Amino acid sequence: MSEASEVSEMSGRTEGGTLYVRFLLTPMYEAALPQLMALLGEFTPQVEALPPDAALVDLRGARRYFGRSPVDLAALIRVRALALYGVECAIGAGPGPMLARMAARDAAPGVTRAVPEGPDGVRDFLADRPVAELPGIGRATARTLCEYGLDSLGKVGAAPLSTLQRLVGARAGRELREKARGIDRGTVVPNAAARSVAVERPFPRDELDPFRHRRALLSGAEELGARMRGEDQVCRTLTLTVRYADRSTTTRTRTLPEPTAHSTALTTAAYRMYEALGLQRARVRALSLRAEGLAPAEHAAHQLTFDPADEKTRRIEEVADRARAKFGPGAIVPGTLAA
C-alpha cells in the first residue's frame, strides 16, 4: 500500500467514531450491567461487550442520526448511566477500536479522552507513545523493537517496512507498521453482554478478626454458587476485593482449575487468595467476591475424582438447593454461618 493510500484510508476511518466505555462498577451495582449495555444500545446496535465491565460502541451511524460528535454522545452516555443507575464511567473516543482503547487508558472517571480527528491528529496522538502501549504487542516484541531504537510508535511508523519485517516477521511487521501509523482495521462485533456475578459483605464496623473475614468469604461464596447454579451457569475466574478502613482496596484474581459453580471450590479459592494477602491486623471494612467468565453449565466439563467426599458434598449441595428453592435462601446454611 502506498503512502497516499494509507493517508486516504486513515482519513476515511476518522470520519466515523468508536467509543471504549468502561463502567466503574462496584459489587452493589453489578446487577445493572445488562441495563447499562441496553443503554448503549439506545444509541446504536453496534455494541460489543468486553468482560467484565467494558464495551466498544461503533458510532458511525449514530453520528449521522443524532447530529452529534463522539465526544458529545459520550457525555450523554455518562450522564444517563450516572442518573439512571448511579454508575460512573471512563470513556475513550477514537476513529476505531484500537485507538479508542488506547485513549481510554488516559481517561479518568467522568472524563472522555478523545483522539484528535484527521491523519495529523492521529499521528500526533501516537507519536511519543511507548511501543508497548500498542494493543497486541507483547513484551518480547516490545523488547526487540526497543533494542533497535524503535521505542516509540512514531519511530516504528517511520521505519522502513523491510526493517520491521526482518525484526518481527513479514505479516506481523506489516500489521505493526499500519497500527503505528494509526490505520485501525479492527471492527466492533455486536454480541450479548458478558455477565459476571458479584456479592459484597460489609462489616458493621472495621473488622480485624480473621475468623469473621473467613466467615464473610464463606457466606459470599455460598451465595455466588447458589446464584450461578440457579441460572445453570459456571464461572472461570474468581476475584476477591478487600476494602480497608482508609478506603483503599486490594484486588486478587484466581483462575479456577475448571469452570464451576460448586460452593466448596469457590470457598477454597477465596480462602487461598485471602491467605496469600498475609493481612496482619488489617482493619477491613468490606469483602467482595466476583465470579467472572460465566458460561452455560452444560458446556462445562467436570474432572471426575476418586474422592467420595467430593461426590457426597455435591449431592448434598443439590439437595440444599432444592430446599432453598422451596423454603427460602436461609433454609439450609453451613454450620459456621448458622452460629
Side-chain angles (χ1 to χ4, degrees), residues 10-11 13-18 63 68-71 93-95 114-123:
M10 194 189 311
S11 299
R13 289 306 299 263
T14 56
E15 292 174 359
T18 302
R63 289 187 68 174
R68 293 174 178 267
S69 70
V71 175
V115 178
E117 292 195 349
D120 293 337
V122 171
R123 289 197 189 97

Side-chain angles (χ1 to χ4, degrees), residues 99-111:
L99 291 167
R101 285 174 182 266
M102 295 180 70
R105 293 180 178 178
D106 301 331
V111 173

Side-chain angles (χ1 to χ4, degrees), residues 19-65:
L19 298 182
Y20 180 90
V21 183
R22 182 167 60 87
F23 297 108
L24 307 179
L25 294 171
T26 62
M28 182 174 19
Y29 295 103
E30 186 73 26
L33 185 57
Q35 288 88 346
L36 290 167
M37 293 298 171
L39 182 145
L40 298 178
E42 294 176 4
F43 292 86
T44 172
Q46 300 296 109
V47 177
E48 180 180 352
L50 302 174
D53 54 10
L56 283 169
V57 185
D58 188 336
L59 294 177
R60 283 178 292 179
R63 289 187 68 174
R64 293 189 293 269
Y65 182 83

Side-chain angles (χ1 to χ4, degrees), residues 60-226:
R60 283 178 292 179
R63 289 187 68 174
R64 293 189 293 269
Y65 182 83
F66 291 100
R68 293 174 178 267
S69 70
V71 175
D72 292 337
L73 292 173
L76 285 175
I77 290 171
R78 178 181 300 106
V79 169
R80 292 189 183 183
L82 192 58
L84 297 176
Y85 305 106
V87 175
E88 185 58 273
C89 50
I91 303 177
M98 179 192 76
L99 291 167
R101 285 174 182 266
M102 295 180 70
R105 293 180 178 178
D106 301 331
V111 173
T112 298
R113 177 73 165 90
V115 178
E117 292 195 349
D120 293 337
V122 171
R123 289 197 189 97
D124 292 342
F125 175 80
L126 294 173
D128 297 326
R129 291 182 173 269
V131 68
E133 286 192 12
L134 195 65
I137 299 299
R139 293 182 180 178
T141 300
R143 185 166 54 249
T144 299
L145 293 170
C146 290
E147 288 174 353
Y148 286 86
L150 302 174
D151 55 354
S152 70
L153 294 179
K155 293 178 181 178
V156 172
L161 176 59
S162 58
T163 300
L164 297 177
Q165 289 180 325
R166 283 197 300 270
L167 293 176
V168 300
R171 180 177 178 180
R174 184 171 59 254
E175 293 178 352
L176 174 61
R177 187 168 184 261
E178 288 183 349
K179 290 181 177 180
R181 293 186 170 201
I183 299 176
D184 187 356
R185 300 186 185 276
T187 58
V188 176
V189 181
N191 60 3
R195 293 185 56 201
S196 60
V197 181
V199 296
E200 185 174 37
R201 292 293 182 267
F203 296 105
R205 61 178 181 275
D206 297 337
E207 187 59 67
L208 288 80
D209 188 353
F211 174 77
R212 294 184 182 275
H213 297 167
R214 292 172 64 89
R215 191 172 184 269
L217 292 174
L218 172 61
S219 171
E222 286 285 330
E223 181 180 337
L224 277 182

